[in-house]
Amino acid sequence: MPHESFDATESHSRQSEFSFELGTRLRGSDGSVSNGRTGVITTPHGQIKTPAFIAVGTKATVKAILPESVAQLGAQAVLANAYHLYLQPGSDVLDAAGGLGRFMNWSGPTFTDSGGFQVMSLGSGFKKVIDMSSVDQSGPDDAVAPGKERLANVDDDGVWFKSHLNGDMHRFSPEISMKVQHEIGADIMFAFDELTTLQNSRGYQVESLERTRLWAQRCVAEHFNLTDTRASKDYQALFGVIQGAQYEDLRRQACRDLGAMSFDGFGIGGALEKENLGTIVGWCAEELPENKPRHLLGISEPDDIFTAIENGADTFDCVSPTRVARNSAFYTPHGRFNLSGRRYKTDFTPLSDECDCYTCQHYTRAYIHHLFKSKELVSHTLISIHNERFVVKMVDDARQAIEDGTFHELKEWTISRYYAGQPDPQGLQTSTR
RNA sequence: GGCAGAUUACCCGAGUGGCCAAAGGGGGCUGACUGUAAAUCAGCUGGCAACGCCUUCACUGGUUCGAAUCCAGUAUCUGCCA
């Protein structure tokens, strides 16, 4: 097997097209040096000032938002998904189009996720509610939810996916994910990993983590191979993904293992419990090379963002701003609320009177409420623009605050306002802006 | 004018003697959503002092231990015939 003899730690000559420059170091509230920092990621398609929130555009579109609007609202980069684009329209189409950015008319930096998330979302996480009393512990994946067919099944070499579009079987492996991601052509790619769930036992997490480690080696090998054979293309950076669930020893070991490989940066993945998020990011930040960027996958709640930044995460992505927007939820500095509520029918104020987004500059809650209730699609667009702007700006403000030395004050103020404004458990309180 | 059929909760629509405060949709209300199987999903949707009670299946009156369901009359609507 060629990848077994490959030295994944050797450097690659074309890495100069990708770089990460450290900026200001965050000081702890007691004045000590912390893991948080600002920085600048340079890619062939532009720079990303970090910390930064990356807009998710799974199928080469940030759902309901034109790329021009994505740029206007301040998003610095877009993250698409290799598995979804491989299924439709096919990564060869994106390759022929000149890459993801050209295909979707986005001139800035781009990311692709490897398909690793789908190992979980279409596999053990496929069933929405896992009833632990009926979990079959006999299989290799002990978070299997019986009673519903899975669309992803893992083995040591890769994953079989059953297409949710037409039922076709598709094989994904580290090599295939790399090939697909190279064809898609994003500036930053993620190594193919296995995402586990919190329901998996420690034994399974250990087994899975070793699989992800071997896959990481194979991804690096195949990445270099493809970089050489596709030499006319811009250099694409590769981030390894740190798993290990909530276990400190596993997380630290994963960081040491992958940190020694020739990755350009790292993703921190896994189903994380909110309470442990900062701690886990902190372990990773301590172990990973300081001069490489760290992307925390799938996070956007204000408390999570601030905690992650404080503990050393540089970039984030999340489907939440656009997904909840399509279900009528909008963010405000005082919490998240459902615009479909009757109370907004004659509320002629903007979604947030502190927001500078296009939606808030031109439209009222009452109008967007009406659009949503009457199933007019522009409601999705308007709320998505707002929500995406809300998170982008929150992270931008955090970056500025690190440089200004006011991060901890901003964190305290932002979080206390946001969660104080949430409806109480009785649901009696309405939005206060 | 004659004959036949209809009338169920906000709307549509099941139900044709007790398991019916009444299926299923829609609509409405509330909530959830963290590397997108997601314009999705879940709960509630006659009233109340609520493991029980009260008022509902066009209206009025019957039959029956018991009626949305059976009978009679009335009203309205729809077909066909004159």
Side-chain angles (χ1 to χ4, degrees):
Chain A
M1 297 286 278
H3 50 261
E4 284 181 355
S5 59
F6 180 83
D7 179 2
T9 63
E10 80 177 38
S11 64
H12 195 277
S13 59
R14 298 185 66 214
Q15 274 180 261
S16 58
E17 296 177 42
F18 175 89
S19 66
F20 179 56
E21 182 185 341
L22 284 167
T24 305
R25 196 72 194 238
L26 173 65
R27 299 221 159 244
S29 44
D30 59 357
S32 62
V33 173
S34 83
N35 290 316
R37 72 269 182 94
T38 65
V40 178
I41 297 170
T42 299
T43 78
H45 291 90
Q47 294 188 323
I48 302 168
K49 294 179 183 172
T50 67
F53 182 72
I54 313 304
V56 173
T58 300
K59 294 191 273 191
T61 172
V62 180
K63 290 185 193 293
I65 314 181
L66 287 173
E68 293 86 339
S69 299
V70 175
Q72 186 188 28
L73 66 83
Q76 300 184 71
V78 169
L79 183 150
N81 182 280
Y83 177 68
H84 285 282
L85 291 174
Y86 156 84
L87 283 186
Q88 189 178 50
S91 47
D92 56 326
V93 173
L94 279 88
D95 196 13
L100 172 64
R102 284 199 179 174
F103 187 52
M104 67 179 286
N105 190 31
W106 172 260
S107 61
T110 49
F111 292 61
T112 41
D113 186 27
S114 62
F117 180 77
Q118 280 65 38
V119 178
M120 183 282 291
S121 68
L122 301 177
S124 58
F126 185 65
K127 195 173 179 182
K128 291 179 186 72
V129 178
I130 295 177
D131 177 2
M132 288 306 290
S133 65
S134 62
V135 167
D136 176 6
Q137 299 284 336
S138 64
D141 180 346
D142 50 13
V144 169
K148 194 159 185 179
E149 186 186 8
R150 302 169 67 166
L151 298 179
N153 286 287
V154 193
D155 56 64
D156 285 342
D157 185 59
V159 180
W160 279 109
F161 286 109
K162 182 172 182 175
S163 166
H164 60 279
L165 299 175
N166 62 10
D168 286 353
M169 295 304 294
H170 296 279
R171 183 66 176 172
F172 253 57
S173 66
E175 291 76 19
I176 294 169
S177 177
M178 282 295 99
K179 175 174 182 289
V180 168
Q181 291 192 77
H182 269 263
E183 288 183 343
I184 292 171
D187 298 309
I188 296 171
M189 307 176 291
F190 286 99
F192 191 56
D193 63 322
E194 179 186 1
L195 171 51
T196 57
T197 75
L198 292 168
Q199 279 74 34
N200 285 114
S201 65
R202 178 179 163 102
Y204 186 79
Q205 303 288 3
V206 170
E207 176 190 327
S208 169
L209 191 61
E210 173 61 6
R211 184 156 46 228
T212 291
R213 184 184 74 80
L214 293 169
W215 287 3
Q217 286 185 332
R218 288 165 57 183
C219 282
V220 170
E222 185 65 12
H223 170 54
F224 282 5
N225 179 32
L226 289 166
T227 299
D228 290 337
T229 58
R230 295 168 58 88
S232 63
K233 304 282 185 180
D234 292 320
Y235 179 74
Q236 296 177 257
L238 179 62
F239 283 23
V241 180
I242 306 301
Q243 293 291 348
Q246 69 272 39
Y247 302 106
E248 180 172 4
D249 58 331
L250 300 187
R251 285 281 176 183
R252 288 187 185 276
Q253 189 59 51
C255 289
R256 286 192 287 268
D257 290 341
L258 272 66
M261 299 181 197
S262 290
F263 286 114
D264 300 292
F266 300 91
I268 301 172
L272 306 176
E273 288 167 312
K274 248 175 141 48
E275 314 80 66
N276 303 332
L277 189 146
T279 307
I280 291 170
V281 172
W283 297 334
C284 296
E286 287 173 19
E287 299 291 344
L288 288 169
E290 184 183 31
N291 63 347
K292 292 185 177 178
R294 308 188 278 247
H295 180 93
L296 181 60
L297 289 149
I299 293 297
S300 74
E301 293 291 313
D303 55 340
D304 297 334
I305 292 268
F306 276 92
T307 300
I309 291 173
E310 187 173 15
N311 284 283
D314 300 306
T315 53
F316 315 87
D317 70 277
C318 196
V319 305
S320 197
T322 57
R323 179 188 287 174
V324 302
R326 292 191 303 282
N327 299 309
S328 90
F330 66 103
Y331 296 111
T332 78
H334 299 277
R336 195 172 79 190
F337 303 96
N338 282 330
L339 189 63
S340 60
R342 180 187 291 269
R343 57 190 171 279
Y344 299 111
K345 188 170 184 178
T346 55
D347 184 344
F348 298 105
T349 63
L351 294 178
S352 166
D353 56 9
E354 296 178 31
C355 182
D356 61 2
C357 81
Y358 179 82
T359 300
C360 289
Q361 298 309 303
H362 296 89
Y363 300 97
T364 64
R365 293 174 171 188
Y367 178 63
I368 306 167
H369 167 91
H370 155 67
L371 293 178
F372 188 83
K373 298 300 288 184
S374 53
K375 296 181 165 43
E376 289 294 340
L377 299 180
V378 170
S379 65
H380 300 171
T381 299
L382 294 176
I383 307 174
S384 293
I385 287 172
H386 169 77
N387 285 354
E388 204 71 44
R389 174 59 186 161
F390 180 86
V391 180
V392 163
K393 183 161 190 302
M394 184 171 60
V395 178
D396 285 352
D397 288 347
R399 176 176 68 241
Q400 188 62 48
I402 293 173
E403 293 178 351
D404 295 345
T406 57
F407 177 86
H408 298 287
E409 291 80 354
L410 178 68
K411 176 187 176 187
E412 164 68 24
W413 186 63
T414 302
I415 290 178
S416 64
R417 283 209 304 167
Y418 186 81
Y419 292 99
Q422 287 295 283
D424 67 55
Q426 310 304 314
L428 297 175
Q429 181 177 342
T430 57
S431 167
T432 54
R433 293 178 30 259

